[in-house]
Amino acid sequence: MIQDGDKILLIDRQKDDFKGFIPPGGCVEFPESIVEGAMREVKEETGLTVRNLMFKGLSEYVNPVSKARYMIFNYWTEEFDGELLENPPEGNLYWAPIDEAEQLPMQKSFKRRFPLFFEKGTFEIHVTWDHERNEEGSVTITRT
């Protein structure tokens, strides 16, 4: 999550079945660290170079049937340089007012964690995947 005053940078992602407003991010490439991967993904998706990332929390999906685990490491910063890309690869970039952002059509997992970025401390969101229904099952949010 990149914050600039009272706004945050979001991507209006309209690709495949993963549509909605989300922050920049993506997969870590071996052998880079989690933070290096986050910084690289922001650069690739926005053109911005971020610094001093603050860890805010962990979101994880677990599937007890397939024994799979998918983890999202959530970071926040207000330190960045550069210019936004004119043709970003993941969708249009939008500086959204924080107090209006939750009204945007966000992806479900991001909507759940969005307010947690602005609270003190860190969070962990644990989602158990319902394998048979192919949808989220139980959700537990822990604040620390």
Side-chain angles (χ1 to χ4, degrees), residues 16-61:
D16 52 55
D17 62 348
F18 200 61
K19 296 178 178 164
F21 283 85
I22 57 171
C27 296
V28 176
E29 296 176 359
F30 187 83
E32 69 188 355
S33 72
I34 305 293
V35 171
E36 288 171 336
M39 294 170 72
R40 176 188 48 75
E41 284 286 346
V42 168
K43 181 74 171 175
E44 289 176 2
E45 294 181 359
T46 71
L48 300 179
T49 301
V50 291
R51 298 179 305 285
N52 295 322
L53 301 183
M54 177 189 300
F55 178 73
K56 286 302 295 177
L58 177 66
S59 305
E60 65 177 342
Y61 286 80

Side-chain angles (χ1 to χ4, degrees), residues 2 4 9 19-20 27-28 42 46 56 59 62 68 72 78 81 84 90 101 103 105 108 114 120 128 135 137:
I2 303 168
D4 187 14
L9 184 61
K19 296 178 178 164
C27 296
V28 176
V42 168
T46 71
K56 286 302 295 177
S59 305
V62 296
I72 302 168
E78 59 185 359
D81 293 311
L84 292 179
E90 294 296 323
Q103 307 309 312
K108 185 177 184 176
F114 177 78
K120 287 187 177 185
T128 302
E135 64 184 29

Side-chain angles (χ1 to χ4, degrees), residues 68-85:
R69 181 181 307 260
Y70 178 78
M71 302 174 86
I72 302 168
F73 294 84
N74 297 275
Y75 292 92
W76 174 93
T77 189
E78 59 185 359
E79 296 185 37
F80 61 92
D81 293 311
E83 299 293 325
L84 292 179
L85 296 173

Side-chain angles (χ1 to χ4, degrees), residues 88-102:
E90 294 296 323
N92 292 328
L93 300 171
Y94 176 62
W95 284 106
I98 294 169
D99 60 351
E100 297 173 16
E102 284 188 271

